[in-house]
Amino acid sequence: MSTEIIIETANTTKIFNKEKPDEVIAVNDVSIKINRGDFVVFKGPSGSGKTTLLSMIGCMTRPTSGSIYVKGKDVSHLPERFMTMIRRNTFGFIFQQFHLIKGVSVCENVMLPLYPTDIKPSKLRKKAEEILHNLGMEGRKDFPVQRLSGGEQQRTTIARALINDPDIILADEPTAHLDTNLSEEFLSIMRGLQQEGKTILIATHDPLVYEKDYINLIIEMRDGRVKNIIGKQ
Amino acid sequence: MGIEKHRNILDYTLLSLLRRKFKNIGIILVFTFVIFIVGSILFLSYSFKREAYLILKGSPEIVVHRMMAGRHELTLLSYMKDIIEIPGVSKVEPRYWGYYYDSMTKANYTILSMGETVMKTSRLLKGRLPEINEKNSAAIGKGVARARFIDIGNVFSLQSADGSQMVFNIVGIFETDSELMTADLIVLSESDFKRLVKMPEGMATDLAIYVYNETEALTVARKIRERFPDSRPILRDEIIRTYDAVFGWRSGLVLTLFIGALAAFIILAWDKATGLSAEEKQEIGILKAIGWETSDILEMKFWEGLVISLTSFLPGIILAYLHVFFFGASLFAPALKGWSVIYPEYRLAPFINFYQVATLMAITVIPYIASTIIPSWKASITEPDIVMRG
């Protein structure tokens, strides 16, 4: 496995409503390093700061203090435009609530991240169809997403996360709405992607996920701080 | 950055609009209706003004009325000799005209004797005009022909001022195109007119004054007023201004009738401007989270506003055009044309004031696009991590 550090946080802190009566320190002085190709799980109860940390790593929000490096580049102080570019080119997101656009077909949902780019629509569609085929969703590509089952919606979000061929996949509580079979199926897809060289980061408190033996880094969080780091290499 | 990106965003916008079919169709229908109403009024009143202006262009520069106790009185022909001597006056002509109430059809006709003014507007006549001294002949407007069920070759009678019936052969009918001015018109020879209304000798309804140089009309009018203090010279420009004011006022009246539709549209635009639904906000968050920039979202909303407003504006303005110029503005012409038994029925010459159309576009399309973009802008500048939290 490569030892190239793909993500690094240095004393990263995120405070919501700073200096107000309802101030919340969501992430407190977190410093971690993640290598390319790692399968990482952020483990902890709800409110432990794992989702916020994942958001900061994914360039969705900036830290209040400290820095975040993605492929060696400090992304925590970039203007919005560049953060968006990094988000679009480097990350694929899988959300807990799926967050698919209702009323639009499976294929269109998968194509969405690359609409604001110069890729030709025919090429984009072909790419989306290929990914859906690999995930066994070719028969559902023209379905409106609201008619899909939970597992199919999950696979559609995976396809959408893969359309930009990202180096890193971020998933927030991906198994929260899935039964055991579908959760296993999801994890095996993630395992396959890791074997292709992608870095996988999952925030979860589901033992089914963090007990898998192919997970090589477990970052345990509580009250915004890193409580424990377990490396399994 | 190439064109593909904008094409992709436009593609998605259209797809996105189709998702909310009923809502968007509703907006388009209301928007189209508003454009149709306002466009029709603009086209109609502008065409009326243009039509009246073109017809009045051929009329004399000054018309002199005589006044008594503030009311219009017959003018003495003896004034003519003095007026023609005023420097700048090229010609003075007596005019004989008035109104005739027909109790049978309960309509008012405009009666007019042959003269220079009639000759100038005779371009649209079917048949011919009566000769200056031809007895018992008349040319009538389409409205009169319709009201009386008569045509060329028929006869009709009018009751003269002394109670006797005068019979006239119809030798001509004014055609549809000029009906704005001629629908209720009856043109007679001068002698017949005088006999019909029992006009005393040496009198005329008013005098038409032609001048060599139009810019001198005001000076000539002043001199007429000085020589004949009981006269009231009316300049052609004043009549044109009056037409403008009358049609402007009537347009406002019709617009008031449709204030409900306008209000509905404003509420609709306001509703859009003051906030997005939770679903729309979440969608913006999702798009940002998966890699759309704020500018991409604003571009999508711009296309959305443009598509909706142009899809409404173009049919609205085309329907207004058809309504006014092909169907005679049947919806609200009665209010704009006048209040009478004899409505002119005609096809207006399609005059369009592009400045007005551009203004209408500016006051409807631009605010609508703005009302689509502004709330989305507010939503799209927030950080996308909000979608991570459900």
Side-chain angles (χ1 to χ4, degrees), chain B residues 37-208:
Chain B
I37 296 298
V38 181
S40 293
I41 293 168
L42 287 183
F43 284 155
L44 193 58
S45 61
Y46 184 70
S47 288
F48 277 153
K49 287 178 193 170
R50 286 289 301 167
E51 187 107 345
Y53 174 77
L54 286 179
I55 291 167
L56 286 169
K57 256 178 92 175
S59 64
E61 284 86 8
I62 307 169
V63 171
V64 176
H65 286 175
R66 192 165 144 247
M67 308 297 286
M68 185 178 281
R71 294 183 67 85
H72 181 197
E73 185 70 8
L74 294 180
T75 310
L76 294 163
L77 290 179
S78 58
Y79 285 12
M80 290 171 62
K81 145 164 125 299
D82 284 331
I83 293 173
I84 193 76
E85 279 166 12
I86 295 172
V89 174
S90 66
K91 196 162 77 177
V92 182
E93 191 192 54
R95 299 199 312 182
Y96 302 93
W97 60 272
Y99 301 110
Y100 180 95
Y101 178 68
D102 183 10
S103 55
M104 203 165 77
T105 55
K106 293 191 173 52
N108 258 315
Y109 303 145
T110 302
I111 46 174
L112 179 66
S113 90
M114 270 304 295
E116 181 107 352
T117 318
V118 182
M119 300 289 258
K120 282 194 175 171
T121 56
S122 67
R123 61 189 165 97
L124 302 158
L125 189 79
K126 182 174 100 181
R128 65 176 178 82
L129 282 165
E131 299 297 325
I132 300 270
N133 290 315
E134 188 179 350
K135 285 203 165 170
N136 299 97
S137 296
I140 60 172
K142 269 243 160 127
V144 181
R146 267 196 309 271
R148 286 275 191 128
F149 303 104
I150 44 179
D151 205 345
I152 291 182
N154 295 144
V155 293
F156 76 108
S157 67
L158 299 173
Q159 191 179 39
S160 72
D162 62 14
S164 62
Q165 291 291 323
M166 286 179 70
V167 176
F168 298 95
N169 292 310
I170 299 161
V171 293
I173 292 183
F174 289 97
E175 272 296 355
T176 327
D177 296 34
S178 63
E179 249 193 87
L180 179 60
M181 293 306 214
T182 61
D184 64 349
L185 196 62
I186 298 176
V187 176
L188 310 171
S189 67
E190 190 181 311
S191 57
D192 277 351
F193 179 90
K194 285 180 171 172
R195 234 167 14 109
L196 182 72
V197 302
K198 241 182 149 197
M199 187 173 273
E201 279 305 315
M203 299 282 198
T205 312
D206 52 29
L207 301 175

Side-chain angles (χ1 to χ4, degrees), chain A residues 47-89:
Chain A
S48 59
K50 47 190 198 306
T51 298
T52 306
L53 186 58
L54 218 55
S55 293
M56 287 191 287
I57 291 170
C59 296
M60 286 201 200
T61 186
R62 291 182 179 84
T64 311
S65 63
S67 298
I68 292 172
Y69 300 90
V70 175
K71 295 186 196 171
K73 192 173 170 186
D74 185 357
V75 297
S76 42
H77 303 103
L78 289 176
E80 193 231 328
R81 212 183 155 161
F82 293 96
M83 279 183 86
T84 306
M85 214 181 286
I86 291 172
R87 198 156 66 231
R88 186 196 295 152
N89 296 333

